[in-house]
C-alpha cells in the first residue's frame, strides 16, 4: 500500500513524501483501503518515523 505522509512532511525540495508498505498475513486481511491502512499501519510506524525525521543524517542500516 502507498499513502502520503499523514503529518504532511515533505523532503528538502518540497515534494510530498510517500510511504510504501507491503502487508501480509492478518494485517493484510484487515486492510482493504488506504483509510484502513492509515488506521492500521501508520500507528505502528509513526513514532519511529518521527524519531528519525529531524536527525542531521539518516540512521545507518547497521
Amino acid at each position: 500500500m502507498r499513502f502520503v505522509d499523514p503529518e504532511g512532511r515533505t523532503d528538502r525540495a518540497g515534494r510530498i513524501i510517500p510511504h510504501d508498505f507491503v502487508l501480509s498475513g492478518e494485517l493484510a486481511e484487515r486492510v482493504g483501503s488506504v483509510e484502513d491502512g492509515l488506521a492500521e499501519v501508520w500507528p505502528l510506524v509513526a513514532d519511529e518515523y518521527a524519531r528519525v525525521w529531524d536527525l542531521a543524517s539518516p540512521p545507518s542500516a547497521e
Side-chain angles (χ1 to χ4, degrees), residues 1 23 26-27 30-32 34-45:
M1 72 171 298
L23 308 179
E26 184 181 315
L27 183 58
R30 291 195 315 262
V31 174
V34 172
E35 291 78 20
D36 292 345
L38 285 169
E40 295 283 337
V41 177
W42 188 246
L44 301 174
V45 299

Side-chain angles (χ1 to χ4, degrees), residues 8-51:
R9 296 177 181 112
T10 58
D11 66 12
R12 290 184 182 183
R15 296 174 294 220
I16 296 172
I17 298 172
H19 297 285
D20 295 299
F21 298 93
V22 176
L23 308 179
S24 63
E26 184 181 315
L27 183 58
E29 291 175 13
R30 291 195 315 262
V31 174
S33 68
V34 172
E35 291 78 20
D36 292 345
L38 285 169
E40 295 283 337
V41 177
W42 188 246
L44 301 174
V45 299
D47 289 343
E48 181 66 13
Y49 194 83
R51 185 184 74 75

